Amino acid sequence: MTNIVWRRRGSTCGSCARCFLEIDVMEYIADAMPYARAGWRTASRATAISTVHALYHQADEVICFGVKLSGPVRELVSTVVDPFLIAIDAQMRGSGLPGDCGLLPRSVSGFDLLGYLSGAERRLMQGWSDPGWPDDIRVVHVFPCYACELSAAWPTQRFASIVRDLQVLDIARTPSPYIEMKMRGGKSKLLIKNWSHETLRSTLVYAKILAEEPEGVLEVKNLMGDVLAFSKADGWHAYEDRITAHALRSSLA
């Protein structure tokens, strides 16, 4: 079983030099190991399919970063992981990570941004310790993302819901753009009247069906709110390339 390691630390009360207090201080998860970069530790959980590595830095709050690799035993490659930790350290020396969630304009290893999530919606490292992090310790999961995937304007629960749809622990992944769609088919009877969040892959599947139907209509809205429409009147020329380019557009473009 994984446990939190505690130690006793002496401290004066601040008003009397002769008064000495003993304070319980959480240090780290028991089976964690020091990581090469100063201040960071790492722990892992493995299955026959994959290994999740959690790197974390503890000061006034716990900052954690996750990496998922295929296979039961995989070592972290510092040249791949360290650029992310360097960016996180720089952010913590600056404005920190305010609020329960957000996006930071820090481009790392091909990603556009660093996102973060804390509070009850955080999933990384939950259940890794017993009895768990104390309630007064803030634990923040920081992860890389693309500008077409998430909006900092979303409420925390919606932000967290979309994060869970992304493979944020895969630091070699390609973009998974956020899009919504409406559609109306003919023979296929496909119908979505109200804007619905869909993956790019499923949207392209629907587009292929609708493009072959004279009554087919498809509207695709990207993260910026721009709408791209297809129908017999609008034409379906190069619809796959056009939908993909539309979905990948962001405010950074």
Side-chain angles (χ1 to χ4, degrees):
M1 179 180 293
T2 305
N3 295 300
I4 297 176
V5 173
W6 299 78
R7 66 182 172 88
R8 291 278 185 181
R9 183 178 69 186
S11 172
T12 60
C13 68
S15 61
C16 175
R18 290 176 297 177
C19 180
F20 190 85
L21 305 177
E22 284 192 334
I23 306 172
D24 284 326
V25 180
M26 181 179 66
E27 285 192 319
Y28 49 78
I29 295 176
D31 59 353
M33 300 292 292
Y35 183 68
R37 183 165 178 80
W40 289 85
R41 300 182 69 85
T42 179
S44 63
R45 298 292 179 269
T47 68
I49 299 174
S50 64
T51 301
V52 173
H53 296 271
L55 299 104
Y56 67 97
H57 184 287
Q58 182 179 327
D60 295 333
E61 55 190 1
V62 178
I63 309 301
C64 54
F65 179 81
V67 179
K68 186 174 184 179
L69 302 171
S70 60
V73 180
R74 288 288 297 275
E75 297 296 327
L76 288 171
V77 179
S78 60
T79 55
V80 175
V81 173
D82 285 7
F84 296 99
L85 304 187
I86 291 170
I88 295 171
D89 283 340
Q91 181 65 32
M92 297 311 297
R93 290 193 298 269
S95 57
L97 305 169
D100 289 333
C101 65
L103 298 171
L104 308 167
R106 290 189 177 273
S107 177
V108 186
S109 299
F111 290 91
D112 302 316
L113 308 165
L114 286 179
Y116 63 92
L117 184 62
S118 66
E121 299 295 338
R122 174 187 56 84
R123 293 292 181 267
L124 182 63
M125 297 184 74
Q126 283 194 357
W128 284 36
S129 55
D130 180 17
W133 306 104
D135 292 339
D136 59 348
I137 296 291
R138 182 178 183 236
V139 183
V140 188
H141 174 201
V142 182
F143 54 87
C145 59
Y146 295 96
C148 61
E149 296 178 326
L150 296 164
S151 171
W154 288 336
T156 301
Q157 286 188 335
R158 178 165 179 75
F159 187 94
S161 175
I162 302 303
V163 168
R164 287 193 284 273
D165 289 339
L166 303 173
Q167 300 295 325
V168 296
L169 301 187
D170 180 0
I171 59 176
R173 67 186 180 87
T174 56
S176 297
Y178 179 88
I179 54 177
E180 297 180 2
M181 59 169 285
K182 294 192 292 185
M183 65 179 174
R184 183 179 69 253
K187 183 179 180 180
S188 65
K189 300 187 184 301
L190 292 174
L191 180 63
I192 298 180
K193 293 183 178 181
N194 300 316
W195 289 114
S196 174
H197 171 47
E198 299 287 342
T199 65
L200 176 57
R201 181 177 181 180
S202 64
T203 301
L204 293 175
V205 171
Y206 290 133
K208 182 177 181 180
I209 298 171
L210 295 169
E212 298 175 354
E213 300 181 345
E215 307 91 340
V217 176
L218 175 67
E219 294 178 81
V220 182
K221 181 166 62 175
N222 62 18
L223 187 62
M224 299 175 64
D226 299 328
V227 177
L228 183 63
F230 296 89
S231 66
K232 183 177 180 180
D234 298 316
W236 291 85
H237 174 69
Y239 67 86
E240 290 186 348
D241 291 340
R242 291 165 62 194
I243 291 173
T244 300
H246 180 70
L248 292 172
R249 284 194 60 207
S250 72
S251 59
L252 299 182

